[in-house]
Amino acid sequence: MTMNTDADALGTIALDSDGHLCDHTLWTPVVAQQLADTLEVQLTDAHLAILTQVRQFFDTFNHPPATRPLIKWLQKTLPEHDISNQKLQQLFNTGLVARHVNRVAGLPKPPNCL
């Protein structure tokens, strides 16, 4: 799935000092692609399924997931994707999985992330 990034949605959305959305309710797949561009990642349906579940975690538990709870949640909610830390690192082109997956999902940085 290719995302249309013609409109610069991030140009009008406030980001915190770490590049996370100040208001997570403004997130859309287009915004997600613009955030993913900073990681040189082209979002696919698999990425969007993961991001949707990360947002569901946030809605369910009222906080962004750290790495271990994130992976456990994704393994439970997306068993067909065979999620592991290594797979998330590859998909999102980063070793800082929880931080960047939450950022691309439009969520705050988890409290224990650097």
Side-chain angles (χ1 to χ4, degrees):
M1 178 174 172
T2 307
M3 303 304 301
N4 178 6
T5 57
D6 291 342
D8 184 13
L10 282 181
T12 59
I13 297 176
L15 301 177
D16 68 13
S17 61
D18 292 314
H20 293 254
L21 296 183
C22 291
D23 180 355
H24 71 90
T25 65
L26 300 176
W27 183 89
T28 66
V30 171
V31 169
Q33 182 57 65
Q34 291 177 352
L35 293 166
D37 287 346
T38 66
L39 300 171
E40 298 180 4
V41 171
Q42 180 63 44
L43 296 180
T44 64
D45 288 340
H47 289 95
L48 291 173
I50 290 166
L51 295 173
T52 299
Q53 284 305 316
V54 172
R55 293 181 62 79
Q56 184 61 50
F57 181 103
F58 183 83
D59 290 344
T60 301
F61 301 106
N62 297 312
H63 64 84
T67 302
R68 199 167 290 177
L70 167 67
I71 291 167
K72 287 184 182 224
W73 176 263
L74 293 173
Q75 287 172 338
K76 175 182 165 188
T77 59
L78 297 171
E80 69 278 14
H81 288 277
D82 194 29
I83 297 295
S84 67
N85 192 39
Q86 293 78 11
K87 183 168 185 176
L88 291 175
Q89 287 177 3
Q90 290 171 347
L91 281 171
F92 289 92
N93 197 27
T94 181
L96 301 171
V97 171
R99 177 173 178 187
H100 290 294
V101 170
N102 278 292
R103 187 171 62 80
V104 176
L107 300 173
K109 182 173 73 169
N112 62 344
C113 285
L114 301 174

